Each structure stands twice: as structure tokens, then as C-alpha cells.
PDB file of all heavy atoms in Angstrom:
ATOM      1  N   ASP L 765     -14.227  -6.594  20.839  1.00 98.00           N
ATOM      2  CA  ASP L 765     -15.405  -5.702  21.031  1.00 98.00           C
ATOM      3  C   ASP L 765     -16.071  -5.634  19.516  1.00 98.00           C
ATOM      4  O   ASP L 765     -15.683  -4.664  18.736  1.00 98.00           O
ATOM      5  CB  ASP L 765     -14.850  -4.353  21.470  1.00 98.00           C
ATOM      6  CG  ASP L 765     -16.117  -3.443  21.836  1.00 98.00           C
ATOM      7  OD1 ASP L 765     -17.233  -3.723  21.376  1.00 98.00           O
ATOM      8  OD2 ASP L 765     -15.923  -2.443  22.528  1.00 98.00           O
ATOM      9  N   LEU L 766     -17.035  -6.344  19.397  1.00 98.00           N
ATOM     10  CA  LEU L 766     -17.916  -6.342  18.097  1.00 98.00           C
ATOM     11  C   LEU L 766     -18.521  -5.038  17.850  1.00 98.00           C
ATOM     12  O   LEU L 766     -18.663  -4.563  16.684  1.00 98.00           O
ATOM     13  CB  LEU L 766     -18.859  -7.544  18.056  1.00 98.00           C
ATOM     14  CG  LEU L 766     -18.335  -8.931  18.331  1.00 98.00           C
ATOM     15  CD1 LEU L 766     -19.442  -9.990  18.068  1.00 98.00           C
ATOM     16  CD2 LEU L 766     -17.106  -9.203  17.428  1.00 98.00           C
ATOM     17  N   GLU L 767     -19.057  -4.354  18.826  1.00 97.00           N
ATOM     18  CA  GLU L 767     -19.772  -3.165  18.622  1.00 97.00           C
ATOM     19  C   GLU L 767     -18.708  -1.993  18.123  1.00 97.00           C
ATOM     20  O   GLU L 767     -19.008  -1.306  17.272  1.00 97.00           O
ATOM     21  CB  GLU L 767     -20.486  -2.594  19.898  1.00 97.00           C
ATOM     22  CG  GLU L 767     -21.620  -3.552  20.247  1.00 97.00           C
ATOM     23  CD  GLU L 767     -22.501  -2.851  21.529  1.00 97.00           C
ATOM     24  OE1 GLU L 767     -21.921  -1.829  21.939  1.00 97.00           O
ATOM     25  OE2 GLU L 767     -23.467  -3.528  21.795  1.00 97.00           O
ATOM     26  N   ARG L 768     -17.551  -2.157  18.703  1.00 98.00           N
ATOM     27  CA  ARG L 768     -16.508  -1.120  18.255  1.00 98.00           C
ATOM     28  C   ARG L 768     -16.108  -1.327  16.806  1.00 98.00           C
ATOM     29  O   ARG L 768     -15.947  -0.432  16.085  1.00 98.00           O
ATOM     30  CB  ARG L 768     -15.335  -1.220  19.131  1.00 98.00           C
ATOM     31  CG  ARG L 768     -14.165  -0.341  18.688  1.00 98.00           C
ATOM     32  CD  ARG L 768     -12.906  -0.498  19.561  1.00 98.00           C
ATOM     33  NE  ARG L 768     -12.389  -1.983  19.398  1.00 98.00           N
ATOM     34  CZ  ARG L 768     -11.788  -2.575  18.410  1.00 98.00           C
ATOM     35  NH1 ARG L 768     -11.538  -1.938  17.365  1.00 98.00           N
ATOM     36  NH2 ARG L 768     -11.461  -3.805  18.461  1.00 98.00           N
ATOM     37  N   ILE L 769     -15.870  -2.629  16.481  1.00 98.00           N
ATOM     38  CA  ILE L 769     -15.522  -2.966  15.102  1.00 98.00           C
ATOM     39  C   ILE L 769     -16.592  -2.566  14.170  1.00 98.00           C
ATOM     40  O   ILE L 769     -16.285  -1.993  13.066  1.00 98.00           O
ATOM     41  CB  ILE L 769     -15.227  -4.435  15.085  1.00 98.00           C
ATOM     42  CG1 ILE L 769     -13.861  -4.829  15.735  1.00 98.00           C
ATOM     43  CG2 ILE L 769     -15.044  -4.857  13.597  1.00 98.00           C
ATOM     44  CD1 ILE L 769     -13.772  -6.352  15.896  1.00 98.00           C
ATOM     45  N   GLU L 770     -17.813  -2.748  14.468  1.00 98.00           N
ATOM     46  CA  GLU L 770     -18.861  -2.481  13.477  1.00 98.00           C
ATOM     47  C   GLU L 770     -19.028  -0.859  13.356  1.00 98.00           C
ATOM     48  O   GLU L 770     -19.150  -0.462  12.307  1.00 98.00           O
ATOM     49  CB  GLU L 770     -20.196  -3.020  13.967  1.00 98.00           C
ATOM     50  CG  GLU L 770     -21.382  -2.634  13.136  1.00 98.00           C
ATOM     51  CD  GLU L 770     -22.698  -3.352  13.496  1.00 98.00           C
ATOM     52  OE1 GLU L 770     -22.701  -4.300  14.370  1.00 98.00           O
ATOM     53  OE2 GLU L 770     -23.732  -2.989  12.895  1.00 98.00           O
ATOM     54  N   ARG L 771     -18.773  -0.176  14.464  1.00 97.00           N
ATOM     55  CA  ARG L 771     -18.805   1.258  14.481  1.00 97.00           C
ATOM     56  C   ARG L 771     -17.819   1.786  13.647  1.00 97.00           C
ATOM     57  O   ARG L 771     -17.868   2.741  12.742  1.00 97.00           O
ATOM     58  CB  ARG L 771     -18.744   1.829  15.841  1.00 97.00           C
ATOM     59  CG  ARG L 771     -18.913   3.371  16.030  1.00 97.00           C
ATOM     60  CD  ARG L 771     -19.069   3.816  17.359  1.00 97.00           C
ATOM     61  NE  ARG L 771     -17.957   3.412  18.250  1.00 97.00           N
ATOM     62  CZ  ARG L 771     -17.894   2.421  19.205  1.00 97.00           C
ATOM     63  NH1 ARG L 771     -19.062   1.727  19.354  1.00 97.00           N
ATOM     64  NH2 ARG L 771     -16.972   2.135  19.945  1.00 97.00           N
ATOM     65  N   GLU L 772     -16.459   1.221  13.806  1.00 98.00           N
ATOM     66  CA  GLU L 772     -15.332   1.657  12.964  1.00 98.00           C
ATOM     67  C   GLU L 772     -15.547   1.396  11.554  1.00 98.00           C
ATOM     68  O   GLU L 772     -15.137   2.227  10.643  1.00 98.00           O
ATOM     69  CB  GLU L 772     -14.033   0.937  13.492  1.00 98.00           C
ATOM     70  CG  GLU L 772     -13.548   1.484  14.906  1.00 98.00           C
ATOM     71  CD  GLU L 772     -12.122   1.068  15.198  1.00 98.00           C
ATOM     72  OE1 GLU L 772     -11.206   0.916  14.132  1.00 98.00           O
ATOM     73  OE2 GLU L 772     -11.800   0.786  16.371  1.00 98.00           O
ATOM     74  N   ILE L 773     -16.150   0.348  11.196  1.00 98.00           N
ATOM     75  CA  ILE L 773     -16.422   0.016   9.769  1.00 98.00           C
ATOM     76  C   ILE L 773     -17.403   1.079   9.182  1.00 98.00           C
ATOM     77  O   ILE L 773     -17.156   1.667   8.224  1.00 98.00           O
ATOM     78  CB  ILE L 773     -16.944  -1.314   9.628  1.00 98.00           C
ATOM     79  CG1 ILE L 773     -15.842  -2.366   9.919  1.00 98.00           C
ATOM     80  CG2 ILE L 773     -17.427  -1.615   8.122  1.00 98.00           C
ATOM     81  CD1 ILE L 773     -16.341  -3.869   9.991  1.00 98.00           C
ATOM     82  N   LYS L 774     -18.524   1.209   9.872  1.00 97.00           N
ATOM     83  CA  LYS L 774     -19.535   2.029   9.370  1.00 97.00           C
ATOM     84  C   LYS L 774     -19.233   3.561   9.307  1.00 97.00           C
ATOM     85  O   LYS L 774     -19.839   4.315   8.526  1.00 97.00           O
ATOM     86  CB  LYS L 774     -20.816   1.918  10.106  1.00 97.00           C
ATOM     87  CG  LYS L 774     -21.418   0.493   9.902  1.00 97.00           C
ATOM     88  CD  LYS L 774     -22.765   0.396  10.707  1.00 97.00           C
ATOM     89  CE  LYS L 774     -23.446  -0.847  10.442  1.00 97.00           C
ATOM     90  NZ  LYS L 774     -24.766  -1.056  11.117  1.00 97.00           N
ATOM     91  N   THR L 775     -18.268   3.998  10.115  1.00 97.00           N
ATOM     92  CA  THR L 775     -17.984   5.362  10.090  1.00 97.00           C
ATOM     93  C   THR L 775     -16.613   5.777   9.418  1.00 97.00           C
ATOM     94  O   THR L 775     -16.167   6.786   9.393  1.00 97.00           O
ATOM     95  CB  THR L 775     -17.698   5.909  11.465  1.00 97.00           C
ATOM     96  OG1 THR L 775     -16.775   5.180  12.235  1.00 97.00           O
ATOM     97  CG2 THR L 775     -19.121   5.819  12.263  1.00 97.00           C
ATOM     98  N   MET L 776     -16.028   4.696   8.706  1.00 96.00           N
ATOM     99  CA  MET L 776     -14.782   4.861   7.946  1.00 96.00           C
ATOM    100  C   MET L 776     -14.905   5.850   6.810  1.00 96.00           C
ATOM    101  O   MET L 776     -15.566   5.442   5.894  1.00 96.00           O
ATOM    102  CB  MET L 776     -14.130   3.507   7.567  1.00 96.00           C
ATOM    103  CG  MET L 776     -12.740   3.552   7.085  1.00 96.00           C
ATOM    104  SD  MET L 776     -12.218   1.913   6.506  1.00 96.00           S
ATOM    105  CE  MET L 776     -12.379   0.992   8.047  1.00 96.00           C
ATOM    106  N   PRO L 777     -14.186   6.972   6.832  1.00 92.00           N
ATOM    107  CA  PRO L 777     -14.310   7.872   5.569  1.00 92.00           C
ATOM    108  C   PRO L 777     -13.789   7.182   4.428  1.00 92.00           C
ATOM    109  O   PRO L 777     -12.748   6.467   4.446  1.00 92.00           O
ATOM    110  CB  PRO L 777     -13.612   9.148   6.183  1.00 92.00           C
ATOM    111  CG  PRO L 777     -12.567   8.640   7.158  1.00 92.00           C
ATOM    112  CD  PRO L 777     -13.229   7.362   7.898  1.00 92.00           C
ATOM    113  N   ASN L 778     -14.319   7.780   3.279  1.00 86.00           N
ATOM    114  CA  ASN L 778     -13.793   7.191   1.980  1.00 86.00           C
ATOM    115  C   ASN L 778     -14.117   5.736   1.632  1.00 86.00           C
ATOM    116  O   ASN L 778     -13.989   5.355   0.533  1.00 86.00           O
ATOM    117  CB  ASN L 778     -12.282   7.441   1.682  1.00 86.00           C
ATOM    118  CG  ASN L 778     -11.860   8.898   1.885  1.00 86.00           C
ATOM    119  OD1 ASN L 778     -12.586   9.771   1.372  1.00 86.00           O
ATOM    120  ND2 ASN L 778     -10.877   9.148   2.636  1.00 86.00           N
ATOM    121  N   TYR L 779     -14.730   5.041   2.626  1.00 92.00           N
ATOM    122  CA  TYR L 779     -14.949   3.688   2.317  1.00 92.00           C
ATOM    123  C   TYR L 779     -16.456   3.245   2.757  1.00 92.00           C
ATOM    124  O   TYR L 779     -17.096   2.724   1.782  1.00 92.00           O
ATOM    125  CB  TYR L 779     -13.912   2.825   3.213  1.00 92.00           C
ATOM    126  CG  TYR L 779     -12.482   2.683   2.773  1.00 92.00           C
ATOM    127  CD1 TYR L 779     -11.640   3.628   3.208  1.00 92.00           C
ATOM    128  CD2 TYR L 779     -12.229   1.790   1.790  1.00 92.00           C
ATOM    129  CE1 TYR L 779     -10.271   3.477   2.648  1.00 92.00           C
ATOM    130  CE2 TYR L 779     -10.909   1.655   1.343  1.00 92.00           C
ATOM    131  CZ  TYR L 779      -9.934   2.594   1.690  1.00 92.00           C
ATOM    132  OH  TYR L 779      -8.727   2.573   1.227  1.00 92.00           O
ATOM    133  N   PHE L 780     -16.924   3.700   3.878  1.00 96.00           N
ATOM    134  CA  PHE L 780     -18.159   3.191   4.286  1.00 96.00           C
ATOM    135  C   PHE L 780     -19.093   4.265   4.755  1.00 96.00           C
ATOM    136  O   PHE L 780     -20.362   4.046   4.855  1.00 96.00           O
ATOM    137  CB  PHE L 780     -17.980   2.177   5.331  1.00 96.00           C
ATOM    138  CG  PHE L 780     -17.324   0.884   4.933  1.00 96.00           C
ATOM    139  CD1 PHE L 780     -15.938   0.735   5.283  1.00 96.00           C
ATOM    140  CD2 PHE L 780     -17.898  -0.109   4.038  1.00 96.00           C
ATOM    141  CE1 PHE L 780     -15.201  -0.342   4.846  1.00 96.00           C
ATOM    142  CE2 PHE L 780     -17.284  -1.164   3.660  1.00 96.00           C
ATOM    143  CZ  PHE L 780     -15.886  -1.342   4.046  1.00 96.00           C
ATOM    144  N   SER L 781     -18.676   5.425   5.248  1.00 95.00           N
ATOM    145  CA  SER L 781     -19.415   6.387   5.904  1.00 95.00           C
ATOM    146  C   SER L 781     -20.607   6.897   4.981  1.00 95.00           C
ATOM    147  O   SER L 781     -21.652   7.432   5.686  1.00 95.00           O
ATOM    148  CB  SER L 781     -18.659   7.478   6.460  1.00 95.00           C
ATOM    149  OG  SER L 781     -17.962   8.189   5.291  1.00 95.00           O
ATOM    150  N   ASP L 782     -20.301   6.924   3.739  1.00 94.00           N
ATOM    151  CA  ASP L 782     -21.391   7.493   2.832  1.00 94.00           C
ATOM    152  C   ASP L 782     -22.384   6.388   2.284  1.00 94.00           C
ATOM    153  O   ASP L 782     -23.143   6.703   1.492  1.00 94.00           O
ATOM    154  CB  ASP L 782     -20.810   8.163   1.611  1.00 94.00           C
ATOM    155  CG  ASP L 782     -19.963   9.448   2.090  1.00 94.00           C
ATOM    156  OD1 ASP L 782     -20.288  10.018   2.999  1.00 94.00           O
ATOM    157  OD2 ASP L 782     -18.969   9.613   1.469  1.00 94.00           O
ATOM    158  N   TYR L 783     -22.430   5.228   2.778  1.00 95.00           N
ATOM    159  CA  TYR L 783     -23.112   4.071   2.382  1.00 95.00           C
ATOM    160  C   TYR L 783     -23.955   3.447   3.428  1.00 95.00           C
ATOM    161  O   TYR L 783     -23.687   3.478   4.650  1.00 95.00           O
ATOM    162  CB  TYR L 783     -22.343   3.180   1.619  1.00 95.00           C
ATOM    163  CG  TYR L 783     -21.474   3.462   0.523  1.00 95.00           C
ATOM    164  CD1 TYR L 783     -20.147   4.107   0.768  1.00 95.00           C
ATOM    165  CD2 TYR L 783     -21.901   3.304  -0.730  1.00 95.00           C
ATOM    166  CE1 TYR L 783     -19.417   4.534  -0.310  1.00 95.00           C
ATOM    167  CE2 TYR L 783     -21.106   3.800  -1.832  1.00 95.00           C
ATOM    168  CZ  TYR L 783     -19.929   4.297  -1.690  1.00 95.00           C
ATOM    169  OH  TYR L 783     -19.164   4.787  -2.685  1.00 95.00           O
ATOM    170  N   ASP L 784     -25.063   2.843   3.063  1.00 95.00           N
ATOM    171  CA  ASP L 784     -25.896   2.031   3.987  1.00 95.00           C
ATOM    172  C   ASP L 784     -24.972   0.753   4.033  1.00 95.00           C
ATOM    173  O   ASP L 784     -24.912  -0.059   2.952  1.00 95.00           O
ATOM    174  CB  ASP L 784     -27.251   1.664   3.367  1.00 95.00           C
ATOM    175  CG  ASP L 784     -28.230   3.002   3.636  1.00 95.00           C
ATOM    176  OD1 ASP L 784     -27.990   3.801   4.361  1.00 95.00           O
ATOM    177  OD2 ASP L 784     -29.174   3.026   2.756  1.00 95.00           O
ATOM    178  N   THR L 785     -24.509   0.459   5.186  1.00 97.00           N
ATOM    179  CA  THR L 785     -23.621  -0.724   5.372  1.00 97.00           C
ATOM    180  C   THR L 785     -24.137  -1.687   6.413  1.00 97.00           C
ATOM    181  O   THR L 785     -24.636  -1.278   7.483  1.00 97.00           O
ATOM    182  CB  THR L 785     -22.235  -0.202   5.752  1.00 97.00           C
ATOM    183  OG1 THR L 785     -21.701   0.789   4.889  1.00 97.00           O
ATOM    184  CG2 THR L 785     -21.197  -1.372   5.973  1.00 97.00           C
ATOM    185  N   THR L 786     -24.037  -2.932   6.075  1.00 97.00           N
ATOM    186  CA  THR L 786     -24.470  -4.062   6.968  1.00 97.00           C
ATOM    187  C   THR L 786     -23.249  -4.827   7.401  1.00 97.00           C
ATOM    188  O   THR L 786     -22.301  -4.995   6.529  1.00 97.00           O
ATOM    189  CB  THR L 786     -25.466  -4.897   6.473  1.00 97.00           C
ATOM    190  OG1 THR L 786     -25.109  -5.591   5.223  1.00 97.00           O
ATOM    191  CG2 THR L 786     -26.761  -4.156   6.197  1.00 97.00           C
ATOM    192  N   VAL L 787     -23.039  -5.030   8.654  1.00 98.00           N
ATOM    193  CA  VAL L 787     -21.791  -5.802   9.139  1.00 98.00           C
ATOM    194  C   VAL L 787     -22.318  -7.091   9.739  1.00 98.00           C
ATOM    195  O   VAL L 787     -23.162  -7.079  10.666  1.00 98.00           O
ATOM    196  CB  VAL L 787     -21.111  -5.060  10.196  1.00 98.00           C
ATOM    197  CG1 VAL L 787     -19.883  -5.892  10.633  1.00 98.00           C
ATOM    198  CG2 VAL L 787     -20.541  -3.789   9.406  1.00 98.00           C
ATOM    199  N   THR L 788     -21.876  -8.326   9.224  1.00 98.00           N
ATOM    200  CA  THR L 788     -22.286  -9.584   9.780  1.00 98.00           C
ATOM    201  C   THR L 788     -21.074 -10.347  10.197  1.00 98.00           C
ATOM    202  O   THR L 788     -20.094 -10.470   9.449  1.00 98.00           O
ATOM    203  CB  THR L 788     -22.985 -10.345   8.701  1.00 98.00           C
ATOM    204  OG1 THR L 788     -24.117  -9.751   8.134  1.00 98.00           O
ATOM    205  CG2 THR L 788     -23.350 -11.814   9.221  1.00 98.00           C
ATOM    206  N   PHE L 789     -21.047 -10.744  11.505  1.00 98.00           N
ATOM    207  CA  PHE L 789     -19.843 -11.421  12.017  1.00 98.00           C
ATOM    208  C   PHE L 789     -19.921 -13.028  11.760  1.00 98.00           C
ATOM    209  O   PHE L 789     -21.085 -13.464  12.126  1.00 98.00           O
ATOM    210  CB  PHE L 789     -19.699 -11.101  13.562  1.00 98.00           C
ATOM    211  CG  PHE L 789     -19.250  -9.700  13.791  1.00 98.00           C
ATOM    212  CD1 PHE L 789     -20.145  -8.716  14.043  1.00 98.00           C
ATOM    213  CD2 PHE L 789     -17.874  -9.324  13.688  1.00 98.00           C
ATOM    214  CE1 PHE L 789     -19.703  -7.323  14.321  1.00 98.00           C
ATOM    215  CE2 PHE L 789     -17.442  -8.003  13.783  1.00 98.00           C
ATOM    216  CZ  PHE L 789     -18.429  -6.968  14.132  1.00 98.00           C
ATOM    217  N   ILE L 790     -18.979 -13.555  11.203  1.00 98.00           N
ATOM    218  CA  ILE L 790     -19.079 -15.060  10.979  1.00 98.00           C
ATOM    219  C   ILE L 790     -17.818 -15.609  11.365  1.00 98.00           C
ATOM    220  O   ILE L 790     -16.847 -14.950  11.777  1.00 98.00           O
ATOM    221  CB  ILE L 790     -19.375 -15.160   9.349  1.00 98.00           C
ATOM    222  CG1 ILE L 790     -18.242 -14.495   8.611  1.00 98.00           C
ATOM    223  CG2 ILE L 790     -20.732 -14.702   9.003  1.00 98.00           C
ATOM    224  CD1 ILE L 790     -18.343 -14.920   7.130  1.00 98.00           C
ATOM    225  N   SER L 791     -17.708 -16.917  11.346  1.00 97.00           N
ATOM    226  CA  SER L 791     -16.612 -17.739  11.808  1.00 97.00           C
ATOM    227  C   SER L 791     -15.680 -17.805  10.639  1.00 97.00           C
ATOM    228  O   SER L 791     -16.039 -17.619   9.432  1.00 97.00           O
ATOM    229  CB  SER L 791     -16.968 -19.082  12.210  1.00 97.00           C
ATOM    230  OG  SER L 791     -17.437 -19.952  11.018  1.00 97.00           O
ATOM    231  N   GLU L 792     -14.409 -18.139  10.883  1.00 97.00           N
ATOM    232  CA  GLU L 792     -13.359 -18.238   9.946  1.00 97.00           C
ATOM    233  C   GLU L 792     -13.780 -19.414   8.882  1.00 97.00           C
ATOM    234  O   GLU L 792     -13.515 -19.348   7.667  1.00 97.00           O
ATOM    235  CB  GLU L 792     -11.980 -18.601  10.387  1.00 97.00           C
ATOM    236  CG  GLU L 792     -10.861 -18.177   9.622  1.00 97.00           C
ATOM    237  CD  GLU L 792      -9.598 -18.136  10.356  1.00 97.00           C
ATOM    238  OE1 GLU L 792      -9.528 -18.350  11.559  1.00 97.00           O
ATOM    239  OE2 GLU L 792      -8.535 -17.772   9.738  1.00 97.00           O
TER     240      GLU L 792
END
């Protein structure tokens, strides 16, 4: 679930919640 993963990243406290964060999904 890419939307869930992006949401968990952007709302992660102490890491991303206080920043403008972009998430790009790419291949291995």
C-alpha cells in the first residue's frame, strides 16, 4: 500500500513530521 507507506513516512515523529518531505517510489 504505497499511500500508507508515504503517510507513515511523512507523519513519523522526530524524523519527518516537521519537514517538507517528498516520497518517490522507485525500483530496486
Side-chain angles (χ1 to χ4, degrees):
D765 185 341
L766 302 187
E767 289 186 1
R768 174 189 58 78
I769 291 173
E770 181 171 353
R771 183 171 60 252
E772 286 191 35
I773 293 172
K774 290 184 174 181
T775 59
M776 190 183 298
N778 300 317
Y779 286 89
F780 299 102
S781 59
D782 294 331
Y783 299 86
D784 289 333
T785 301
T786 59
V787 178
T788 303
F789 291 97
I790 61 176
S791 69
E792 204 162 3

